[in-house]
């Protein structure tokens, strides 16, 4: 897993990935580490690393926006 408390919903992903002292057995792929190196995503990764409240707030807003978009399925996919 990426974090020690893998069933908890919190910002520990953002605190664990850059931590060189964290458990060696935790999964840290290059695609995870890049969030702290990419110029466009780094500000978000650092923000969520510092503030779980900001992570929760931004997550809630994004989840709400995606939920309100709804889902559309082709008849072939649903079998209707």
């Amino acid at each position: 897993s990426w974090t020690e408390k893998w069933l908890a919903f919190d910002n520990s992903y953002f605190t664990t990935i850059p931590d060189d002292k964290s458990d060696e057995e935790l999964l840290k792929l290059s695609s995870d580490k890049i969030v702290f190196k990419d110029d466009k995503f780094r500000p978000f990764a650092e923000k969520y690393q510092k503030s779980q409240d900001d992570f929760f707030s931004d997550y809630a807003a994004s989840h709400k926006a995606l939920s309100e978009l709804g889902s559309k399925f082709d008849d072939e996919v649903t079998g209707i």
Side-chain angles (χ1 to χ4, degrees):
S1 72
W2 287 267
T3 63
E4 289 183 26
K5 297 179 183 176
W6 57 278
L7 291 176
F9 181 72
D10 57 20
N11 70 330
S12 61
Y13 173 84
F14 295 100
T15 60
T16 302
I17 295 299
D19 183 3
D20 293 331
K21 297 175 187 167
S22 64
D23 185 343
E24 293 178 2
E25 302 226 357
L26 292 175
L27 187 60
K28 293 183 181 183
L29 303 173
S30 58
S31 57
D32 298 310
K33 294 177 184 179
I34 198 70
V35 300
F36 284 92
K37 296 178 182 176
D38 180 81
D39 290 338
K40 292 183 180 178
F41 199 85
R42 184 177 50 246
F44 297 100
E46 291 173 348
K47 175 183 175 182
Y48 301 150
Q49 178 186 25
K50 293 175 187 170
S51 174
Q52 183 164 273
D53 289 339
D54 286 346
F55 171 68
F56 285 161
S57 177
D58 288 355
Y59 176 86
S62 297
H63 189 99
K64 181 179 185 290
L66 288 171
S67 296
E68 290 174 347
L69 288 174
S71 299
K72 295 182 174 59
F73 299 96
D74 293 337
D75 291 343
E76 292 178 8
V77 174
T78 61
I80 297 175

